[in-house]
Amino acid sequence: MFNSKSAVILGASSGIGREVALLLLSEGWCLGVAARREEALLELKALAPERVEVMAIDVTSPDAGEHLLTLIDRVGDIDLYFHASGIGKQNRTLETDIELQTMETNALGFTRMIDTAYRYFAERGRGHIAAITSIAGTKGLGPAPAYSATKALQATYLQALEQQAHQRGLDIRFTDIRPGFVDTALLNDNFPYPMLMRPDFVARDIVSSIRRRRHVRVIDWRYRILTFFWRLVPRFLWRRMKL
Ligand SMILES: NC(=O)c1ccc[n+]([C@@H]2O[C@H](COP(=O)([O-])OP(=O)(O)OC[C@H]3O[C@@H](n4cnc5c(N)ncnc54)[C@H](OP(=O)(O)O)[C@@H]3O)[C@@H](O)[C@H]2O)c1
């Protein structure tokens, strides 16, 4: 599947999505790139004008799915839909706006776009859906309730679609990417995040995981160990843990 080399990346304007776009471009892929900030997307197009299509898409908008289909049409045909768009903030004082915006983007917007890609691939006969969820979905995190809850939703949703596709006999592959802390704009709140990874390092792991058709990939090995132990922590201890 990777020989035909065309994809749409949603959330390509910055951070991990942008790094994955750069990597795929350097490998000769044709791309449709989308996010809200069109100027940042046009910078990608300038690198390979004949291989990049650009579209401003806000995943919280009700017509975002239609825009995605238009973008796919402009690329021609895609083998991979990569969902990198998302927001996340610490919210220790539980401000309503932050919680609801996070839900709209990471839960409703995510569902809207992943469903559109799923139906597209179901009709086309085959395809690959990859999405960045997070290790934050492993447990409910007190400092970021909506973020951790929506990341758990995303992971469960991908698992559900994977089962549905299998039972319907659809040749659709799913890759759930779960990074630990990555040095991107998402974390620009001056909090001293430990074990920070570089976005280009994470992007290389993502592309390799997609190529290997992995179902779930926690990045990197330190976070694989951490999340293994997080899962074992009982509820009465978890609520006492300082994060
Ligand atoms: N950084 C980390 O530590 C970390 C760890 C684990 C998982 N993740 C996940 O990785 C993904 C990418 O985040 P990042 O770290 O690369 O942060 P980032 O640099 O802030 O990138 C977020 C991307 O999402 C797009 N986006 C946000 N809201 C959108 C909307 N309403 N419609 C369309 N696009 C939207 C942004 O583009 P526009 O603003 O131009 O729309 C941007 O391209 C997110 O899902 C995040 O939760 C990040």
Side-chain angles (χ1 to χ4, degrees), residues 11-17 35-37 57-60 84-87 105 132-134 147 151 179-182 184-187:
S13 59
S14 66
I16 306 168
R36 291 166 302 179
R37 287 169 292 166
I57 298 180
D58 181 343
V59 299
T60 65
S85 112
I87 57 171
T105 306
I132 311 178
T133 67
S134 174
Y147 186 67
K151 290 298 170 179
F181 295 128
V182 189
T184 68
L186 192 115
L187 300 185

Side-chain angles (χ1 to χ4, degrees), residues 196-232:
L196 260 188
M197 297 177 288
R198 288 166 49 106
D200 57 329
F201 163 80
V202 173
R204 279 196 298 279
D205 197 317
I206 289 173
V207 171
S208 149
S209 301
I210 292 172
R211 186 170 283 120
R212 289 169 190 210
R213 298 161 67 85
R214 286 183 184 273
H215 297 274
V216 176
R217 177 68 168 170
V218 177
I219 305 172
D220 58 4
W221 64 270
R222 297 166 300 174
Y223 289 98
R224 287 198 278 282
I225 294 170
L226 182 77
T227 50
F228 174 81
F229 284 109
W230 270 10
R231 280 203 187 82
L232 301 178

Side-chain angles (χ1 to χ4, degrees), residues 107-127:
L108 301 186
F110 176 87
T111 306
R112 180 177 289 122
M113 307 317 283
I114 294 288
D115 284 8
T116 304
Y118 180 95
R119 285 189 294 264
Y120 166 76
F121 286 136
E123 198 169 313
R124 178 179 182 263
R126 66 188 167 86

